[in-house]
Amino acid sequence: MTTDVAAGQKTAVLSCRDVHKSYRQGSEQVAVLTGVDLSVAVGEKLAIIGASGSGKSTLLNMLGGLDDPSAGEIWIQGAAVAPMSESERARWRNRHLGFVYQFHHLLPEFSALENVAMPLLIGRVAPAVARQRARQLLAEVGLAARTAHKPAALSGGERQRVAIARALATEPGCVLMDEPTGNLDPATAQTVLELLLRLNQESGISFVIVTHDRQIAARMDRVVSLRDGCLQDVDGAP
Ligand code: ADP
Ligand code: MG
């Protein structure tokens, strides 16, 4: 049994077991997650839905190694996160995961190209190689003509496409997205969704998408719902 679980964690891009999280609010401990188990397979597209405040962002941040659980274990690409030092964790995260948020979090003083190249430069890829790869990624998301634009000169949908290109720069096994279309109008959200589906098909990258958008959830391989601190499978259409 123990061996099976360990084997499963090795083949999953991301997994967690019995994850709990509580926050201190004044003198009280508020339990947000009370035993979350999850395993994301290679190439899988998973949607996490749930009411506002149910803990979706909290869970996503812990799966991404950005925050520590109060109890439980997390594995990124088969490696347990807890024993890693801060710098080991940052390096492992940079190599294996990409992140996309509701607000693009692009660096305003840098061009689209420089923003996309950033994770590669942080990973010590040679600048010329990083720029070449960034240019190629921007072309893939339909922004070949926008490489020199700064975020302020781009539309909302274009910024989010730059953020997606940036998340893909290091060729991660999995991209974690927190309401990636939450700030976009429906037509632009649809374009971004089609882009994500195409990238998943072409690269076999896994996606974990927190979303309110039923259309997005319906296009994923699996939908889970966060409720009362635990994940439940959602059968059929969400
Ligand atoms: P969701 O993304 O599903 O809307 P969140 O994960 O952002 O939910 O938040 C879940 C709950 O945890 C909320 O009640 C929120 O107030 C609380 N919470 C989130 N982050 C913190 C924090 N850093 N300190 C205290 N409480 C927090
Ligand atoms: Mg949230």
Side-chain angles (χ1 to χ4, degrees):
M1 174 66 189
T2 318
T3 329
D4 287 351
V5 171
Q9 280 145 7
K10 287 240 178 298
T11 53
V13 286
L14 204 59
S15 58
C16 70
R17 187 166 60 193
D18 202 22
V19 161
H20 291 244
K21 181 71 174 180
S22 33
Y23 291 110
R24 185 177 296 283
Q25 245 165 28
S27 57
E28 270 183 70
Q29 284 283 115
V30 180
V32 178
L33 303 176
T34 55
V36 173
D37 296 286
L38 183 66
S39 182
V40 183
V42 174
E44 185 175 31
K45 304 187 291 290
L46 175 78
I48 301 176
I49 60 173
S52 180
S54 59
K56 303 181 298 297
S57 297
T58 299
L59 175 60
L60 204 70
N61 287 339
M62 286 193 297
L63 288 173
L66 298 165
D67 192 8
D68 289 311
S70 312
E73 292 172 280
I74 291 160
W75 293 263
I76 299 173
Q77 206 76 50
V81 172
M84 293 182 196
S85 70
E86 267 310 307
S87 63
E88 279 172 338
R89 191 187 293 205
R91 222 175 312 126
W92 195 250
R93 192 166 52 217
N94 185 261
R95 190 165 144 204
H96 294 291
L97 298 178
F99 296 88
V100 179
Y101 300 95
Q102 180 173 359
F103 300 99
H104 53 83
H105 292 296
L106 297 173
L107 298 168
E109 66 274 31
F110 291 101
S111 70
L113 187 86
E114 289 163 338
N115 268 286
V116 175
M118 200 64 72
L120 294 169
L121 297 172
I122 290 168
R124 299 186 186 191
V125 170
V129 176
R131 291 178 71 84
Q132 179 53 34
R133 168 109 181 107
R135 202 176 294 284
Q136 180 195 333
L137 279 160
L138 283 168
E140 276 175 36
V141 300
L143 294 176
R146 298 282 187 278
T147 56
H149 287 54
K150 291 195 175 156
L154 297 170
S155 72
E158 287 171 339
R159 282 179 209 148
Q160 209 53 330
R161 276 144 69 196
V162 175
I164 290 166
R166 179 182 55 181
L168 296 172
T170 59
E171 300 183 299
C174 185
V175 178
L176 303 177
M177 300 183 236
D178 198 349
E179 312 258 9
T181 63
N183 196 35
L184 304 176
D185 63 77
T188 310
Q190 184 65 31
T191 313
V192 169
L193 172 61
E194 297 304 334
L195 168 68
L196 290 173
L197 293 170
R198 178 169 64 77
L199 294 169
N200 168 265
Q201 281 256 293
E202 287 171 1
S203 64
I205 214 162
S206 307
F207 288 145
V208 178
I209 302 189
V210 166
T211 186
H212 275 116
D213 188 326
R214 283 160 181 275
Q215 251 193 320
I216 290 194
R219 301 284 294 275
M220 299 298 125
D221 300 318
R222 184 157 63 107
V223 183
V224 291
S225 169
L226 190 54
R227 203 175 161 176
D228 300 330
C230 296
L231 283 180
Q232 299 164 347
D233 287 330
V234 176
D235 297 325

